[in-house]
Amino acid sequence: MTATKIDFERKFGERRAYCRALAELSLQQPQLVREDRTADLVELLKHKQQLINELLDLTNGEHELRDEWRSRRSQIDPTVRVRCETILNETERLLAAILKVEQDVTTTLIQKQEETRRELQAISASGAAHHAYHAEEEGAVSRFRVDL
């Protein structure tokens, strides 16, 4: 690979476009989680996975591109280099924002899971108490039953 054969700006721009799309989808996740819209959340996550797979296909060989960029960037036209660095910086900011949203959503989902677990335990305990109460009640009634 040589710097003249690689359109760094286009390649970096394509990667940024996928990251923007992923960031937009990620920003929808917290509301879907808060509103317990599980079906919509699953569809959104499927769409995100599709974008991630496409991004992975696009960035196959990214290490080579990154290494080439590092070794050649000082030889690239300064205007193009600045545009490329701007794109790379924006991409990094998008990825950081996506990571933050993902961490927040994961925390919220864990909290909801814990709440659900506590509620199920309470229901299970009250069901067991209800069953025990009625079992004792039936036994007590049958012992003191008077036939007339």
Side-chain angles (χ1 to χ4, degrees), residues 40-103:
D40 292 335
L41 180 60
V42 168
E43 286 304 312
L44 181 133
L45 292 174
K46 285 180 185 177
H47 190 201
K48 280 180 66 176
Q49 186 60 55
Q50 177 185 356
L51 288 173
I52 289 169
N53 290 341
E54 291 172 15
L55 178 60
L56 289 173
D57 288 344
L58 176 74
T59 59
N60 191 15
E62 175 96 2
H63 297 295
E64 236 178 75
L65 179 66
R66 206 173 314 141
D67 291 343
E68 191 69 26
W69 167 253
R70 286 183 185 133
S71 69
R72 305 278 183 176
R73 83 174 150 210
S74 63
Q75 300 164 9
I76 295 173
D77 176 82
T79 305
V80 174
R81 185 174 60 240
V82 167
R83 286 195 307 256
C84 286
E85 288 173 353
T86 300
I87 292 169
L88 290 170
N89 289 334
E90 183 181 350
T91 301
E92 289 303 315
R93 282 192 303 274
L94 288 166
L95 290 170
I98 291 168
L99 181 60
K100 172 75 171 109
V101 170
E102 293 295 329
Q103 289 170 337

Side-chain angles (χ1 to χ4, degrees), residues 101-140:
V101 170
E102 293 295 329
Q103 289 170 337
D104 292 347
V105 167
T106 299
T107 299
T108 301
L109 286 171
I110 289 169
Q111 290 169 345
K112 284 181 166 280
Q113 180 184 30
E114 183 59 27
E115 289 171 22
T116 301
R117 188 189 60 73
R118 283 193 302 270
E119 289 172 5
L120 288 172
Q121 282 180 330
I123 290 168
S124 178
S126 67
H130 178 76
H131 178 70
Y133 174 77
H134 285 294
E136 284 182 21
E137 188 178 79
E138 288 173 6

Side-chain angles (χ1 to χ4, degrees), residues 10-58:
R10 182 185 59 76
K11 287 188 174 287
F12 294 155
E14 289 172 350
R15 183 173 178 246
R16 177 184 58 189
Y18 276 100
C19 291
R20 278 183 182 160
L22 286 167
E24 288 173 15
L25 290 173
S26 290
L27 291 175
Q28 296 174 32
Q29 281 180 244
Q31 182 176 356
L32 295 176
V33 170
R34 278 192 307 274
E35 295 173 359
D36 290 323
R37 292 172 47 197
T38 307
D40 292 335
L41 180 60
V42 168
E43 286 304 312
L44 181 133
L45 292 174
K46 285 180 185 177
H47 190 201
K48 280 180 66 176
Q49 186 60 55
Q50 177 185 356
L51 288 173
I52 289 169
N53 290 341
E54 291 172 15
L55 178 60
L56 289 173
D57 288 344
L58 176 74

